[in-house]
DNA sequence: CCACAAATGCAACAGTGTTGCATTTGTGGC
DNA sequence: GCCACAAATGCAACACTGTTGCATTTGTGG
């Protein structure tokens, strides 16, 4: 059986990748696998702070993320605001086939029952990376509260 | 004849866009039109510093770039390092009804011959704000350079 | 030429990411 | 289990990119 199959624990993945298994790395990798969208450093810090365990140093978190990228367990990309976002590598994207609505009030992300629009035809020589259909507005809850 | 034709001077473009014609804006717009690639703030500062005229304040440059983007005379995108890069746009409004491709290598923005997809249907109570269709990848030039 | 909104310059600040270095910890070999 | 040592961590300081507040200057319509 593949040493990095879908049933591997974070610790297994780290061992298979040849880097030390530390509590911080395990927590970060868990968070990445549980995330439904790529997370930036700040979001990850908040999420790790909320899980009860001791907080991770800011710099250590940066270094952990870099180490995960270096060994291929995570992917790093820049968002439209210029902030780096990280996602677990090798995970099937369960949110790949529908689009999302982001509430600009509460920050919530909602899955919509609509497929992403097909990528457009590109000029010769261009290579397609990601296509992102970003729908923003206010969710039902926040809209209701606003009307009060 | 269109008031913002290809032979318009930077000053003409600024006037047509409805914002004040200032020496700084003229210089920045000239630099953008003369550039062969999208420029970041730092590169633009260096270039403006080298042209003999008085240096432009750092913050003023940021504000000039933002004002050019706001009135449609420039386009803004993020490069792979998370830095904003600016390029000259054609005439204002010209970019409303087609979508854009952003090169994640050089930060270039390219117009595609495709309409933006329609906004999706939202669940009850949700209110639509903006919809953004973001197509990213590597442009022909950067793809070619990468293969070397 | 004037009035006034808009733009500028400067100082201080904020967000995001990095570097240096002393200390702690995970791991392979015994 | 224990040790040695490289790797990882925590902390302070720093760097880069971009923003905000506010007093002063300037472009523009009348
Ligand atoms: Mn989803
Ligand atoms: Mn366009
Ligand atoms: Zn909401
Ligand atoms: Zn490119």
């Amino acid at each position: 059986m593949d040493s990095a199959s879908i049933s591997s624990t974070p610790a297994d993945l780290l061992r298979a990748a040849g880097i030390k298994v530390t509590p911080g790395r395990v927590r970060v990798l868990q968070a990445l696998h549980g995330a439904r969208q790529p997370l930036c450093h700040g979001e990850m810090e908040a999420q790790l702070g909320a899980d009860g365990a001791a907080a991770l140093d800011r710099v250590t978190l940066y270094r952990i993320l870099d180490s995960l990228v270096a060994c291929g367990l995570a992917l790093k990309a820049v968002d439209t605001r210029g902030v780096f976002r990280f996602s677990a590598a090798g995970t099937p994207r369960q949110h790949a086939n529908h689009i999302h609505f982001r509430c600009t009030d509460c920050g919530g992300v909602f899955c919509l029952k609509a497929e992403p629009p097909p990528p457009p035809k590109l000029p010769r020589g261009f290579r397609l990376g990601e296509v992102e259909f970003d729908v923003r507005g206010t969710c039902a809850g926040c809209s209701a509260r606003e009307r009060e």
Side-chain angles (χ1 to χ4, degrees), chain A:
Chain A
M1 185 171 178
D2 181 17
S3 62
S5 74
I6 49 170
S7 65
S8 297
T9 65
D12 290 338
L13 290 169
L14 291 168
R15 252 186 298 274
I19 64 174
K20 285 188 181 175
V21 181
T22 68
R25 283 180 179 160
V26 168
R27 282 208 287 158
V28 169
L29 201 47
Q30 259 165 356
L32 286 182
H33 276 98
R36 55 181 179 177
Q37 74 208 90
L39 301 173
C40 65
H41 177 272
E43 290 164 353
M44 194 153 289
E45 232 185 340
Q47 188 167 330
L48 292 178
D51 76 354
L56 215 48
D57 179 73
R58 235 174 61 78
V59 177
T60 301
L61 177 51
Y62 276 116
R63 292 202 267 229
I64 285 176
L65 289 168
D66 281 346
S67 73
L68 294 180
V69 170
C71 76
L73 289 177
L75 298 171
K76 180 180 187 176
V78 167
D79 73 11
T80 47
R81 295 193 350 264
V83 174
F84 291 124
R85 306 197 86 95
F86 300 84
S87 54
T91 47
R93 318 258 13 217
Q94 73 265 44
H95 294 284
N97 283 323
H98 55 261
I99 62 184
H100 295 97
F101 179 95
R102 267 222 307 277
C103 178
T104 50
D105 262 29
C106 66
V109 178
F110 302 84
C111 303
L112 300 183
K113 290 199 185 87
E115 290 189 359
K121 209 171 193 175
L122 299 180
R124 202 171 174 71
F126 280 55
R127 282 200 308 209
L128 185 68
E130 308 95 47
V131 174
E132 197 181 322
F133 192 48
D134 209 22
V135 183
R136 295 185 297 269
T138 47
C139 72
C142 290
S143 294
R145 260 188 299 284
E146 248 175 52
R147 265 192 289 279
E148 278 169 15

